């Protein structure tokens, strides 16, 4: 049944096309711009006209490794406008500006009861699609949002807040979860290794928790951007010894906690060496399985703790929405490159091979439609 036949009384005045443009993953390192059907929606669902979708490192990992079956349409940091609402939808109407989470846990299973939401089977089931196997779908003109995401994972964007700002809600949530897992206390000293967009958000949140933050990165350009967010205590790791600097700022002990916001496994040892006995290390970007080398006695004898954090927490959804929509942080300033959907392949290529001056890269179907 066509969308227009289902929902004539609740669709926006713009005619919903039968076909749309999307960046389609076809296998390892293979994404193509294609014309695909606009997804149809059912009762309790909504169709969102995508304005902005951020490129996440997990999208890039899946494309680079070919870890997922093809075809798929990735993209999950999505904001846009409700185009059509399905039967029974009361919370939203056509024309509402929204952002959508793509994962929401069941709230009942063993893992949900233990607050390990990312391990919930329902959480792992993606609830947004632009077609094919549900995989987020934000790299397309329209995305179908399924009923449980409409009910619990769709957020209205307030007036005065841009689509770009709103697209950061999900990544901010993941960072808040990491900070919560690290259990920071006011007055502690924290080293954040890596000052890409996620590293900067983690640093700002650590500072917000009352800690003294030391940032480090190989690129002076990134440290300059980081300083624009009030993160002045910076170490250029291309010219300085980060471990030595961390110890010099902590009476020789080492910092209380370190956050590894880059994917290099070789830096796990650096983070472990930088923290004091009894300190903590958060692995935030180690999303690929593999081997890593570290000193086991640092965990046993020195009582240092390795902590992992992955994906978002539904318990922090309201906090992340308040932070982003309240504009506590000018997240739009993290965007260095904006690509129309017609240049999605180039956008993904740049994101996969970041330059010193490239930060958050977004794909914007909404911008292209306005031309």
């Amino acid at each position: 049944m066509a969308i227009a036949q289902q929902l004539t009384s609740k669709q926006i005045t713009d005619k919903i096309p039968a076909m749309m443009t999307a960046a389609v993953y076809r296998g390892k390192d293979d994404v193509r711009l294609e014309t695909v059907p606009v997804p149809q929606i059912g009762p309790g669902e909504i169709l969102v006209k995508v304005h902005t979708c951020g490129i996440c490192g997990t999208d890039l990992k899946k494309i680079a490794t070919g870890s997922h079956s093809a075809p798929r349409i990735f993209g999950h940091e999505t904001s846009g406008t409700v185009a059509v609402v399905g039967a029974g939808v009361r919370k939203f109407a056509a024309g509402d500006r929204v952002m959508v989470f793509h994962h929401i846990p069941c709230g009942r299973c063993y893992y949900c009861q233990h607050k390990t939401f990312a391990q919930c089977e329902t959480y792992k089931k993606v609830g947004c699609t632009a077609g094919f196997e549900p995989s987020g779908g934000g790299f397309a003109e329209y995305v179908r949002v399924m009923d449980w995401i409409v009910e619990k994972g769709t957020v209205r964007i307030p007036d005065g807040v841009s689509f770009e700002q709103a697209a950061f809600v999900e990544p901010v949530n993941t960072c808040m979860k990491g900070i919560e897992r690290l259990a920071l206390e006011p007055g502690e000293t924290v080293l954040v290794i890596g000052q890409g967009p996620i590293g900067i958000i983690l640093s700002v949140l650590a500072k917000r928790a009352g800690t003294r933050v030391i940032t480090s990165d190989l690129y002076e350009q990134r440290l300059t951007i980081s300083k624009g967010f009030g993160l002045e205590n910076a170490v250029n790791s291309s010219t300085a010894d980060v471990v030595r600097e961390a110890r010099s700022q902590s009476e020789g002990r080492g910092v209380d906690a370190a956050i590894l916001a880059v994917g290099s496994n070789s830096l796990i040892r650096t983070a472990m060496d930088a923290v004091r006995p009894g300190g903590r290390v958060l692995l935030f970007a180690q999303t690929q399985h593999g081997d890593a080398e570290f000193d086991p006695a640092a965990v046993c004898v020195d009582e240092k703790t390795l902590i992992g954090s992955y994906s978002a927490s539904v318990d922090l959804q309201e906090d992340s929405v308040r932070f982003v929509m309240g504009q506590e942080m000018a997240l739009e300033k993290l965007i260095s490159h904006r690509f129309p959907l017609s240049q999605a392949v180039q956008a993904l290529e740049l994101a996969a091979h970041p330059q010193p001056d490239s930060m958050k890269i977004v794909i914007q179907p909404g911008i292209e439609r306005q031309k």
Side-chain angles (χ1 to χ4, degrees), residues 189 212 214 243-256 274-276:
T189 300
R212 186 166 66 96
I214 305 169
V243 173
R244 182 178 300 167
E245 185 62 30
R247 290 178 178 171
S248 72
Q249 293 195 36
S250 55
E251 300 178 336
R253 292 186 302 272
V255 296
D256 299 293
V275 300
R276 61 169 172 79

Side-chain angles (χ1 to χ4, degrees), residues 203-348:
S203 300
V204 168
L205 291 173
K207 185 176 179 181
R208 182 174 178 255
T211 70
R212 186 166 66 96
V213 176
I214 305 169
T215 62
S216 76
D217 201 280
L218 283 168
Y219 300 120
E220 191 61 38
Q221 295 97 318
R222 295 193 165 204
L223 294 174
T224 298
I225 294 168
S226 178
K227 288 175 183 177
F229 288 90
L231 303 165
E232 297 288 345
N233 190 4
V235 179
N236 187 325
S237 54
S238 69
T239 57
D241 186 323
V242 174
V243 173
R244 182 178 300 167
E245 185 62 30
R247 290 178 178 171
S248 72
Q249 293 195 36
S250 55
E251 300 178 336
R253 292 186 302 272
V255 296
D256 299 293
I259 300 172
L260 191 50
V262 290
S264 174
N265 285 351
S266 64
L267 290 173
I268 297 175
R269 181 66 179 258
T270 300
M272 293 286 284
D273 288 347
V275 300
R276 61 169 172 79
R280 298 98 70 204
V281 171
L282 175 68
L283 303 185
F284 193 85
Q286 280 56 47
T287 58
Q288 287 186 251
H289 291 286
D291 296 326
E293 182 178 321
F294 67 93
D295 179 6
V299 175
C300 180
V301 178
D302 296 336
E303 300 181 302
K304 299 179 183 182
T305 302
L306 274 172
I307 300 167
S309 183
Y310 181 68
S311 200
S313 167
V314 70
D315 280 355
L316 296 169
Q317 190 163 301
E318 291 184 6
D319 289 343
S320 62
V321 169
R322 277 195 300 269
F323 181 87
V324 174
M325 303 305 187
Q327 302 181 79
E328 285 191 46
M329 181 178 179
L331 292 153
E332 294 161 302
K333 292 183 179 180
L334 291 173
I335 300 174
S336 62
H337 294 78
R338 297 165 173 85
F339 287 85
L341 183 58
S342 61
Q343 296 177 23
V345 175
Q346 296 94 312
L348 291 164

Side-chain angles (χ1 to χ4, degrees), residues 12-286:
I12 60 176
T13 54
D14 292 347
K15 187 178 186 302
I16 306 299
M19 306 296 287
M20 67 177 181
T21 302
V24 182
Y25 160 80
R26 289 287 175 180
K28 184 177 182 296
D29 284 327
D30 186 1
V31 176
R32 309 172 193 177
L33 208 63
E34 299 183 12
T35 300
V36 301
V38 171
Q40 296 187 19
I41 65 169
E45 300 182 342
I46 62 175
L47 186 74
V48 171
K49 195 179 213 181
V50 178
H51 184 283
T52 295
C53 186
I55 298 176
C56 175
T58 58
D59 299 322
L60 300 173
K61 179 194 73 173
K62 293 167 187 174
I63 293 166
T65 61
S67 59
H68 286 52
S69 61
R72 292 172 185 256
I73 301 170
F74 291 120
H76 59 266
E77 299 175 0
T78 304
S79 63
T81 304
V82 177
V84 185
V85 298
V89 174
R90 300 287 179 264
K91 293 177 67 175
F92 302 100
D96 286 346
R97 299 188 319 131
V98 297
M99 66 74 52
V100 293
F101 286 88
H102 62 309
H103 293 302
I104 291 292
C106 72
R108 301 179 303 274
C109 70
Y110 176 89
Y111 290 110
C112 285
Q113 294 302 309
H114 288 78
K115 304 293 185 182
T116 316
F117 300 115
Q119 308 310 316
C120 165
E121 287 304 315
T122 299
Y123 186 91
K124 294 177 182 180
K125 182 180 177 184
V126 180
C128 300
T129 182
F132 310 117
E133 181 73 18
S135 299
F139 301 155
E141 291 186 76
Y142 291 89
V143 62
R144 169 191 167 205
V145 183
M146 297 176 206
D147 55 359
W148 77 95
I149 304 293
V150 172
E151 186 63 29
K152 297 182 179 179
T154 302
V155 178
R156 189 174 281 103
I157 303 172
D159 293 343
V161 177
S162 70
F163 287 113
E164 291 183 350
Q165 178 82 7
F168 279 92
V169 171
E170 191 270 350
V172 163
N173 185 300
T174 68
C175 292
M176 284 186 165
K177 177 182 173 182
I179 295 297
E180 182 179 72
R181 294 267 295 150
L182 201 50
L184 297 176
E185 297 181 4
E188 289 191 313
T189 300
V190 180
L191 169 67
V192 183
I193 300 174
Q195 289 297 283
I198 288 295
I200 292 175
I201 295 171
L202 286 162
S203 300
V204 168
L205 291 173
K207 185 176 179 181
R208 182 174 178 255
T211 70
R212 186 166 66 96
V213 176
I214 305 169
T215 62
S216 76
D217 201 280
L218 283 168
Y219 300 120
E220 191 61 38
Q221 295 97 318
R222 295 193 165 204
L223 294 174
T224 298
I225 294 168
S226 178
K227 288 175 183 177
F229 288 90
L231 303 165
E232 297 288 345
N233 190 4
V235 179
N236 187 325
S237 54
S238 69
T239 57
D241 186 323
V242 174
V243 173
R244 182 178 300 167
E245 185 62 30
R247 290 178 178 171
S248 72
Q249 293 195 36
S250 55
E251 300 178 336
R253 292 186 302 272
V255 296
D256 299 293
I259 300 172
L260 191 50
V262 290
S264 174
N265 285 351
S266 64
L267 290 173
I268 297 175
R269 181 66 179 258
T270 300
M272 293 286 284
D273 288 347
V275 300
R276 61 169 172 79
R280 298 98 70 204
V281 171
L282 175 68
L283 303 185
F284 193 85
Q286 280 56 47

